[in-house]
Protein backbone atom coordinates (compact mmCIF):
# COMPACT_ATOMS: atom_id res chain seq x y z
CA UNK A 1 0.00 0.00 0.00
CA UNK A 2 1.30 3.38 -0.96
CA UNK A 3 2.44 5.59 1.86
CA UNK A 4 4.19 8.23 -0.14
CA UNK A 5 3.06 11.12 2.00
CA UNK A 6 5.85 10.26 4.41
CA UNK A 7 8.45 9.92 1.63
CA UNK A 8 10.82 12.85 1.62
CA UNK A 9 12.94 12.79 -1.51
CA UNK A 10 16.52 12.04 -0.45
CA UNK A 11 18.05 12.56 -3.92
CA UNK A 12 17.31 14.63 -7.01
CA UNK A 13 16.23 11.52 -8.93
CA UNK A 14 13.71 10.47 -6.28
CA UNK A 15 12.39 14.04 -6.19
CA UNK A 16 11.91 14.01 -9.94
CA UNK A 17 10.14 10.68 -9.94
CA UNK A 18 7.90 11.79 -7.09
CA UNK A 19 7.02 14.95 -9.00
CA UNK A 20 6.19 12.84 -12.06
CA UNK A 21 4.01 10.59 -9.97
CA UNK A 22 2.13 13.50 -8.40
CA UNK A 23 1.66 15.24 -11.73
CA UNK A 24 0.36 12.05 -13.28
CA UNK A 25 -2.11 11.72 -10.44
CA UNK A 26 -3.22 15.33 -10.74
CA UNK A 27 -3.65 15.14 -14.50
CA UNK A 28 -5.98 12.15 -14.24
CA UNK A 29 -9.58 12.41 -13.10
CA UNK A 30 -9.44 12.26 -9.29
CA UNK A 31 -12.85 10.65 -8.89
CA UNK A 32 -13.12 7.28 -10.59
CA UNK A 33 -16.65 6.53 -9.45
CA UNK A 34 -19.24 7.77 -7.01
CA UNK A 35 -22.08 5.88 -5.46
CA UNK A 36 -24.70 8.03 -3.79
CA UNK A 37 -26.60 6.70 -0.84
CA UNK A 38 -30.01 5.32 -1.70
CA UNK A 39 -31.32 5.42 1.79
CA UNK A 40 -34.68 7.01 2.07
CA UNK A 41 -34.02 8.01 5.64
CA UNK A 42 -32.99 11.61 5.21
CA UNK A 43 -33.82 12.33 8.81
CA UNK A 44 -36.94 12.83 10.83
CA UNK A 45 -40.31 13.36 9.22
CA UNK A 46 -39.93 10.91 6.40
CA UNK A 47 -43.59 10.56 5.47
CA UNK A 48 -44.01 7.14 3.92
CA UNK A 49 -46.97 4.83 4.13
CA UNK A 50 -46.94 1.65 6.25
CA UNK A 51 -46.65 -0.55 3.17
CA UNK A 52 -43.52 1.30 2.05
CA UNK A 53 -42.12 1.17 5.57
CA UNK A 54 -42.57 -2.61 5.61
CA UNK A 55 -40.82 -3.21 2.34
CA UNK A 56 -38.03 -0.79 3.20
CA UNK A 57 -37.50 -2.39 6.60
CA UNK A 58 -37.01 -5.70 4.79
CA UNK A 59 -34.43 -4.03 2.55
CA UNK A 60 -32.56 -2.38 5.43
CA UNK A 61 -34.13 0.96 4.56
CA UNK A 62 -32.52 1.08 1.11
CA UNK A 63 -34.50 1.97 -1.97
CA UNK A 64 -33.74 -0.33 -4.87
CA UNK A 65 -32.56 1.23 -8.09
CA UNK A 66 -35.35 2.45 -10.30
CA UNK A 67 -37.90 2.49 -7.52
CA UNK A 68 -39.55 5.79 -6.73
CA UNK A 69 -41.03 6.36 -3.36
CA UNK A 70 -43.61 8.92 -2.38
CA UNK A 71 -42.37 10.53 0.80
CA UNK A 72 -44.41 13.70 0.90
CA UNK A 73 -47.66 12.61 2.47
CA UNK A 74 -48.97 15.04 5.05
CA UNK A 75 -47.80 13.88 8.45
CA UNK A 76 -47.69 16.65 11.00
CA UNK A 77 -46.47 15.57 14.40
CA UNK A 78 -48.06 15.96 17.83
CA UNK A 79 -45.51 18.71 18.49
CA UNK A 80 -46.91 20.64 15.58
CA UNK A 81 -50.54 20.08 16.52
CA UNK A 82 -49.97 21.19 20.10
CA UNK A 83 -49.60 24.73 18.84
CA UNK A 84 -51.49 24.86 15.55
CA UNK A 85 -55.06 24.60 14.34
CA UNK A 86 -54.67 25.08 10.62
CA UNK A 87 -57.36 23.24 8.68
CA UNK A 88 -59.33 22.30 11.78
CA UNK A 89 -62.75 23.56 12.79
CA UNK A 90 -62.69 26.02 15.69
CA UNK A 91 -62.47 24.19 18.99
CA UNK A 92 -61.93 20.80 17.38
CA UNK A 93 -58.93 20.01 19.54
CA UNK A 94 -61.05 20.62 22.62
CA UNK A 95 -63.36 17.72 21.70
CA UNK A 96 -63.12 14.65 23.87
CA UNK A 97 -60.55 12.02 22.94
CA UNK A 98 -62.99 9.22 23.79
CA UNK A 99 -65.58 10.65 21.38
CA UNK A 100 -63.23 9.68 18.56
CA UNK A 101 -61.32 6.81 20.17
CA UNK A 102 -63.54 4.83 22.59
CA UNK A 103 -60.82 2.57 24.06
CA UNK A 104 -59.86 3.87 27.48
CA UNK A 105 -56.96 1.87 28.99
CA UNK A 106 -56.76 2.32 32.74
CA UNK A 107 -59.54 4.95 32.45
CA UNK A 108 -56.65 7.31 31.76
CA UNK A 109 -58.42 9.18 28.98
CA UNK A 110 -61.70 9.97 30.74
CA UNK A 111 -62.57 13.64 30.14
CA UNK A 112 -59.32 14.23 28.26
CA UNK A 113 -59.53 16.38 25.16
CA UNK A 114 -57.47 15.86 22.02
CA UNK A 115 -55.34 18.83 23.14
CA UNK A 116 -54.79 17.20 26.55
CA UNK A 117 -53.56 14.04 24.87
CA UNK A 118 -51.17 16.02 22.68
CA UNK A 119 -49.71 17.67 25.75
CA UNK A 120 -49.38 14.68 28.01
CA UNK A 121 -45.92 13.27 28.47
CA UNK A 122 -44.55 9.84 29.31
CA UNK A 123 -45.99 6.55 28.18
CA UNK A 124 -48.40 5.40 30.86
CA UNK A 125 -51.45 3.69 29.39
CA UNK A 126 -49.98 3.90 25.88
CA UNK A 127 -49.69 7.69 26.01
CA UNK A 128 -46.94 7.76 23.36
CA UNK A 129 -49.15 5.88 20.93
CA UNK A 130 -52.07 8.15 21.81
CA UNK A 131 -50.05 11.26 20.95
CA UNK A 132 -49.09 9.85 17.56
CA UNK A 133 -52.60 8.67 16.81
CA UNK A 134 -54.11 12.05 17.67
CA UNK A 135 -51.50 13.79 15.51
CA UNK A 136 -52.26 11.53 12.57
CA UNK A 137 -56.00 11.94 13.16
CA UNK A 138 -55.76 15.74 13.22
CA UNK A 139 -53.70 15.70 10.04
CA UNK A 140 -56.32 13.53 8.35
CA UNK A 141 -59.04 15.88 9.57
CA UNK A 142 -57.21 18.99 8.40
CA UNK A 143 -56.76 17.56 4.91
CA UNK A 144 -60.34 16.32 4.50
CA UNK A 145 -59.31 12.74 5.12
CA UNK A 146 -57.96 12.67 1.56
CA UNK A 147 -56.31 9.27 1.32
CA UNK A 148 -54.13 10.47 -1.57
CA UNK A 149 -52.58 13.15 0.61
CA UNK A 150 -52.50 12.03 4.22
CA UNK A 151 -50.28 9.45 5.78
CA UNK A 152 -53.06 7.69 7.67
CA UNK A 153 -56.79 8.11 7.32
CA UNK A 154 -59.13 8.66 10.23
CA UNK A 155 -60.32 5.06 10.10
CA UNK A 156 -56.73 3.84 10.19
CA UNK A 157 -56.04 6.01 13.23
CA UNK A 158 -59.08 4.56 14.95
CA UNK A 159 -58.00 1.03 14.02
CA UNK A 160 -54.57 1.64 15.53
CA UNK A 161 -56.02 2.83 18.82
CA UNK A 162 -58.69 0.14 18.88
CA UNK A 163 -55.93 -2.47 18.84
CA UNK A 164 -53.75 -0.41 21.18
CA UNK A 165 -51.11 -0.37 18.47
CA UNK A 166 -51.81 -3.81 17.01
CA UNK A 167 -53.51 -3.48 13.64
CA UNK A 168 -53.41 -4.49 10.00
CA UNK A 169 -51.91 -1.62 7.99
CA UNK A 170 -52.46 -3.35 4.62
CA UNK A 171 -53.69 -6.68 3.32
CA UNK A 172 -51.68 -9.57 4.66
CA UNK A 173 -49.84 -7.59 7.31
CA UNK A 174 -50.37 -7.55 11.05
CA UNK A 175 -48.34 -5.15 13.10
CA UNK A 176 -47.70 -5.35 16.82
CA UNK A 177 -47.67 -2.24 18.99
CA UNK A 178 -43.85 -2.26 18.85
CA UNK A 179 -43.89 -2.31 15.07
CA UNK A 180 -46.41 0.52 14.99
CA UNK A 181 -44.34 2.61 17.38
CA UNK A 182 -41.21 1.90 15.30
CA UNK A 183 -43.10 3.18 12.27
CA UNK A 184 -44.09 6.36 14.10
CA UNK A 185 -40.50 6.71 15.33
CA UNK A 186 -39.38 6.76 11.73
CA UNK A 187 -42.06 9.23 10.67
CA UNK A 188 -41.72 11.69 13.52
CA UNK A 189 -38.36 10.75 15.02
CA UNK A 190 -37.83 9.11 18.41
CA UNK A 191 -37.12 12.47 20.04
CA UNK A 192 -40.78 13.20 19.84
CA UNK A 193 -41.73 10.36 22.14
CA UNK B 1 0.34 32.67 -13.50
CA UNK B 2 -1.27 30.85 -10.62
CA UNK B 3 -4.64 31.91 -9.28
CA UNK B 4 -4.11 30.01 -6.04
CA UNK B 5 -4.44 32.27 -3.04
CA UNK B 6 -1.96 31.73 -0.23
CA UNK B 7 -4.69 32.89 2.15
CA UNK B 8 -6.89 29.89 1.41
CA UNK B 9 -6.74 27.16 3.99
CA UNK B 10 -8.37 23.84 3.38
CA UNK B 11 -9.58 21.36 5.91
CA UNK B 12 -11.78 18.37 6.38
CA UNK B 13 -14.53 19.79 8.64
CA UNK B 14 -15.73 16.47 10.07
CA UNK B 15 -12.88 14.01 9.68
CA UNK B 16 -14.59 11.45 11.90
CA UNK B 17 -17.36 10.83 9.40
CA UNK B 18 -15.07 9.74 6.57
CA UNK B 19 -13.43 6.37 6.28
CA UNK B 20 -10.66 6.19 3.71
CA UNK B 21 -9.19 2.93 2.53
CA UNK B 22 -6.25 3.00 0.14
CA UNK B 23 -4.76 0.45 -2.21
CA UNK B 24 -1.90 0.77 -4.71
CA UNK B 25 -4.32 1.51 -7.53
CA UNK B 26 -6.82 3.74 -5.74
CA UNK B 27 -8.75 4.70 -2.65
CA UNK B 28 -12.33 4.48 -1.48
CA UNK B 29 -13.96 7.08 0.75
CA UNK B 30 -17.11 6.31 2.68
CA UNK B 31 -19.10 9.32 3.90
CA UNK B 32 -21.00 8.17 6.98
CA UNK B 33 -23.19 11.27 6.97
CA UNK B 34 -24.69 10.55 3.56
CA UNK B 35 -23.85 6.89 3.01
CA UNK B 36 -22.05 7.79 -0.20
CA UNK B 37 -18.99 6.07 -1.57
CA UNK B 38 -16.32 7.68 -3.75
CA UNK B 39 -13.58 5.85 -5.61
CA UNK B 40 -10.53 8.06 -6.04
CA UNK B 41 -7.26 7.73 -7.88
CA UNK B 42 -4.26 7.04 -5.62
CA UNK B 43 -3.05 10.63 -5.42
CA UNK B 44 -6.50 12.04 -4.67
CA UNK B 45 -6.93 9.44 -1.93
CA UNK B 46 -3.56 10.37 -0.47
CA UNK B 47 -4.39 14.09 -0.55
CA UNK B 48 -7.71 13.54 1.18
CA UNK B 49 -6.03 11.38 3.80
CA UNK B 50 -3.60 14.19 4.57
CA UNK B 51 -6.46 16.68 4.93
CA UNK B 52 -8.37 14.29 7.14
CA UNK B 53 -5.47 13.67 9.49
CA UNK B 54 -4.18 17.19 9.94
CA UNK B 55 -5.99 20.45 10.81
CA UNK B 56 -5.64 22.83 7.87
CA UNK B 57 -3.53 23.17 4.80
CA UNK B 58 -2.76 25.82 2.30
CA UNK B 59 -2.33 24.48 -1.21
CA UNK B 60 1.42 24.93 -0.79
CA UNK B 61 1.38 22.96 2.48
CA UNK B 62 -0.49 20.16 0.78
CA UNK B 63 1.96 20.09 -2.10
CA UNK B 64 4.85 19.69 0.34
CA UNK B 65 2.98 17.01 2.27
CA UNK B 66 2.56 15.11 -0.98
CA UNK B 67 6.32 15.19 -1.51
CA UNK B 68 6.63 18.12 -3.91
CA UNK B 69 9.68 19.92 -2.55
CA UNK B 70 9.48 22.91 -4.89
CA UNK B 71 6.02 22.89 -6.44
CA UNK B 72 5.55 24.70 -9.74
CA UNK B 73 2.65 27.09 -10.24
CA UNK B 74 1.10 24.42 -12.49
CA UNK B 75 1.36 21.86 -9.68
CA UNK B 76 -0.32 24.27 -7.26
CA UNK B 77 -3.04 25.04 -9.78
CA UNK B 78 -3.76 21.37 -10.32
CA UNK B 79 -3.87 20.76 -6.57
CA UNK B 80 -6.18 23.71 -6.16
CA UNK B 81 -8.53 22.19 -8.75
CA UNK B 82 -8.47 18.93 -6.86
CA UNK B 83 -9.39 20.71 -3.64
CA UNK B 84 -12.21 22.54 -5.36
CA UNK B 85 -13.55 19.23 -6.58
CA UNK B 86 -13.36 17.80 -3.07
CA UNK B 87 -15.22 20.87 -1.85
CA UNK B 88 -18.02 20.32 -4.36
CA UNK B 89 -18.29 16.74 -3.10
CA UNK B 90 -18.68 17.97 0.47
CA UNK B 91 -15.44 16.40 1.62
CA UNK B 92 -13.45 19.52 2.47
CA UNK B 93 -14.05 23.21 3.03
CA UNK B 94 -12.02 26.31 2.42
CA UNK B 95 -11.46 29.22 4.78
CA UNK B 96 -9.86 32.51 3.81
CA UNK B 97 -7.23 34.11 6.00
Amino acid sequence: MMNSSQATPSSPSSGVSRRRLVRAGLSAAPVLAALKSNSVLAGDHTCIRPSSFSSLAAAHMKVSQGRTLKTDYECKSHGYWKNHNQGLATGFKKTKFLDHFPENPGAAYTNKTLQDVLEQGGNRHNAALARHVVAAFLTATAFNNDSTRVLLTKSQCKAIWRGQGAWSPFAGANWTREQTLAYFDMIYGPAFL
Amino acid sequence: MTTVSAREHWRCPRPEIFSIHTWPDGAVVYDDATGSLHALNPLAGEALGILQSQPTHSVDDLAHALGLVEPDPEDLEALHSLLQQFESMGLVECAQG
Side-chain angles (χ1 to χ4, degrees):
Chain A
M1 186 172 76
M2 204 189 311
N3 195 14
S4 309
S5 59
Q6 297 174 349
T8 305
S10 55
S11 70
S13 60
S14 64
V16 168
S17 66
R18 177 61 185 168
R19 183 187 294 277
R20 281 191 183 137
L21 200 64
V22 172
R23 282 186 170 173
L26 288 173
S27 65
V31 182
L32 305 176
L35 185 65
K36 279 181 128 10
S37 167
N38 60 353
S39 170
V40 76
L41 294 182
D44 294 343
H45 292 76
T46 304
C47 298
I48 61 172
R49 286 262 172 91
S51 54
S52 297
F53 177 74
S54 271
S55 63
L56 285 171
H60 305 291
M61 309 315 283
K62 298 294 183 189
V63 182
S64 56
Q65 200 166 12
R67 180 180 180 186
T68 53
L69 205 65
K70 183 171 163 63
T71 61
D72 60 350
Y73 291 103
E74 299 292 344
C75 63
K76 301 194 187 305
S77 68
H78 78 273
Y80 170 87
W81 284 119
K82 269 201 282 192
N83 302 305
H84 294 85
N85 296 285
Q86 193 160 8
L88 302 175
T90 305
F92 186 75
K93 289 194 300 181
K94 291 197 166 83
T95 58
K96 292 285 192 286
F97 176 79
L98 293 176
D99 287 347
H100 307 284
F101 304 98
E103 288 70 29
N104 191 8
Y109 297 89
T110 303
N111 292 323
K112 281 215 163 90
T113 64
L114 296 177
Q115 183 71 37
D116 291 334
V117 172
L118 290 172
E119 290 175 358
Q120 68 181 1
N123 197 24
R124 287 195 71 192
H125 305 295
N126 238 346
L129 181 70
R131 288 194 292 274
H132 286 316
V133 160
V134 168
F137 182 76
L138 290 174
T139 302
T141 304
F143 289 92
N144 299 317
N145 209 29
D146 183 347
S147 60
T148 64
R149 289 189 68 185
V150 300
L151 194 73
L152 296 169
T153 62
K154 287 185 190 178
S155 60
Q156 285 177 310
C157 295
K158 290 174 192 258
I160 292 171
W161 186 251
R162 189 167 24 245
Q164 289 292 280
W167 68 303
S168 177
F170 50 91
N174 290 295
W175 282 8
T176 63
R177 183 178 67 177
E178 287 66 36
Q179 286 172 303
T180 302
L181 285 171
Y183 170 66
F184 281 128
D185 269 359
M186 198 269 306
I187 298 297
Y188 300 125
F192 288 102
L193 284 177
Chain B
M1 179 72 68
T2 182
T3 58
V4 177
S5 167
R7 293 189 305 152
E8 285 181 357
H9 282 78
W10 297 83
R11 69 186 190 104
C12 190
R14 291 169 298 158
E16 69 283 358
I17 66 167
F18 298 124
S19 296
I20 304 175
H21 293 271
T22 57
W23 291 270
D25 55 352
V28 171
V29 182
Y30 174 68
D31 181 344
D32 196 37
T34 63
S36 297
L37 277 173
H38 306 281
L40 306 178
N41 76 28
L43 185 82
E46 188 179 346
L48 187 63
I50 291 168
L51 289 163
Q52 186 190 35
S53 63
Q54 294 170 36
T56 58
H57 288 270
S58 65
V59 179
D60 202 62
D61 289 339
L62 183 59
H64 282 95
L66 285 169
L68 293 177
V69 178
E70 291 176 357
D72 291 343
E74 292 80 10
D75 298 329
L76 296 176
E77 194 64 43
L79 264 177
H80 188 245
S81 279
L82 175 65
L83 289 167
Q84 287 178 321
Q85 186 152 359
F86 281 162
E87 186 182 32
S88 69
M89 292 158 64
L91 299 177
V92 302
E93 63 182 24
C94 175
Q96 294 281 343

